[in-house]
Amino acid sequence: MPDETVPPGSTPEASASRRRERAALAEAIALSRAALGVSTPNPPVGAVVLDAAGAVVGRGATEAPGGRHAEVVALDEAGDRARSGTLVVTLEPCDHHGRTGPCTARALAAGVARVVYAVSDPNPVAAGGADTLRRAGVDVSRGDDDEVRAAGDGPLRAWLHRQAHGRPFVTWKYAASLDGRVAAADGSSRWITGPVSRHHAHARRQEIDALVVGTGTLTADDPALTARLDDGRPAPRQPLRAVMGLSAVPADAAVRGDDGRFRHLATRDPAEALAMLGDVCHVLVEGGPRLAGAFLAAGLVDQVDAYIAPLVLGGGRSAVEGAGVATLADAHGFTVREITVLGADVHLRMTAPTTRPTPAAPDTQAPATPPTRGPR
């Protein structure tokens, strides 16, 4: 059966080179996950350097703002072995000066002969890297549709959403019984789902920029909202912790912590709350039924992470209240993207069919314009 990943008529050498580049891009996408929760407002990019013979000699992911971009990390690791080689990267190399120089200049200085990237940079400030490299004599190629889709739907997704819509990508996360209850009739809710689901959810917290709950959840549970390891210790990456609502947050509330990564969003309007979060790219809404309903009613849920336990409670609190639905025709629809068994539970990841920009909240300014590729 012919290899459909290479053009018909390609030489065996070209076919082998293309397969190596595809493998390198898949590795670069995997590497970019290390930048989630770290790189914002820079995009979470991954990069791999192949030497002239096609061997991997450098790997990298975007560092925290002010640090190196993925291309520079990979090229630094490769050193002289990058000369006449190939730089494979998930996002088009940037072409502007900020805290550091453009990645295009670093690639040219390294002497790479070829650059392969998956997603074109949509930011007008940083875009144009591919053309700059071509003008300098570098062979530049963009990935095929499958590669573009894999990179765009992967770790880059929230950042690309921010660029396109001027607001963060919002994921609503909840854990519920089979009949959609997040607490039993007596109010007990720990634990509806099992330890495997909780481990999965805490790993997820390390990959997002901000976690939001409402003042109702604050009052009921006094949550710390930290990402924790299996042994209970704080994870190395922590999201910004935010409480949305008009009620004051007590000075001794666990959510305040002592690391300065707490914010009170003194509003009941989801659009205004997102604007208050600044240039974050991915927001996880973990609040109770009313907060979930408010974001759904505002059309501001882009993805759902649902953890479903094999339990029937027959009463208690529903997962959502006040979602703005009066009839079946008004229901909020989502498309199932992933189904994963987590111990005794099932995790569903669903996405909204369309995404709308954040409307300006009443008596507030509209959200900030999409961020640049980020400070360097």
Side-chain angles (χ1 to χ4, degrees), residues 238-366:
Q238 295 291 333
L240 178 70
R241 304 177 302 276
V243 174
M244 175 180 158
L246 299 179
S247 300
V249 177
D252 61 349
V255 70
R256 287 188 176 275
D258 56 7
D259 57 2
R261 294 187 57 75
F262 164 73
R263 190 168 302 175
H264 181 200
L265 310 176
T267 179
R268 291 176 179 164
D269 184 280
E272 186 176 359
L274 293 180
M276 289 177 174
L277 287 170
D279 58 7
V280 302
C281 291
H282 194 173
V283 173
L284 188 65
V285 174
E286 275 201 18
R290 288 194 299 273
L291 187 67
F295 273 86
L296 285 164
L300 295 176
V301 173
D302 305 299
Q303 181 170 268
V304 180
D305 273 355
Y307 296 84
I308 308 301
L311 306 171
V312 175
L313 298 180
R317 296 198 74 183
S318 170
V320 182
E321 295 176 11
V325 177
T327 181
L328 186 60
D330 297 333
H332 302 281
F334 294 88
T335 300
V336 176
R337 299 296 185 186
E338 298 176 28
I339 302 175
T340 307
V341 176
L342 299 174
D345 309 320
V346 175
H347 172 247
L348 302 175
R349 179 159 293 164
M350 297 164 275
T351 56
T354 58
T355 299
R356 294 177 292 174
T358 303
D363 300 320
T364 67
Q365 295 181 343

Side-chain angles (χ1 to χ4, degrees), residues 94-160:
C94 66
D95 196 39
H96 78 292
H97 288 268
R99 292 185 181 178
T100 62
C103 290
T104 51
R106 182 66 180 83
L108 292 173
V112 299
R114 178 168 164 80
V115 171
V116 178
Y117 68 94
V119 178
S120 298
D121 197 323
N123 190 300
V125 175
D131 289 340
T132 294
L133 292 166
R134 289 191 183 99
R135 286 194 296 269
V138 177
D139 180 21
V140 180
S141 177
R142 186 183 178 195
D144 61 30
D145 289 346
D146 287 342
E147 292 168 322
V148 172
R149 189 177 302 110
D153 287 345
L156 278 172
R157 183 171 190 175
W159 182 83
L160 290 170

Side-chain angles (χ1 to χ4, degrees), residues 155-180:
L156 278 172
R157 183 171 190 175
W159 182 83
L160 290 170
H161 178 279
R162 174 94 205 194
Q163 300 299 305
H165 300 283
R167 69 164 177 86
F169 185 82
V170 176
T171 295
W172 166 41
K173 174 260 179 183
Y174 72 97
S177 62
L178 285 175
D179 51 341

Side-chain angles (χ1 to χ4, degrees), residues 204-227:
R204 178 71 161 160
R205 283 184 177 183
Q206 297 181 62
E207 297 182 343
I208 53 96
D209 297 319
L211 195 160
V212 179
V213 299
T215 51
T217 296
L218 177 74
T219 300
D221 300 333
D222 190 26
L225 301 185
T226 53

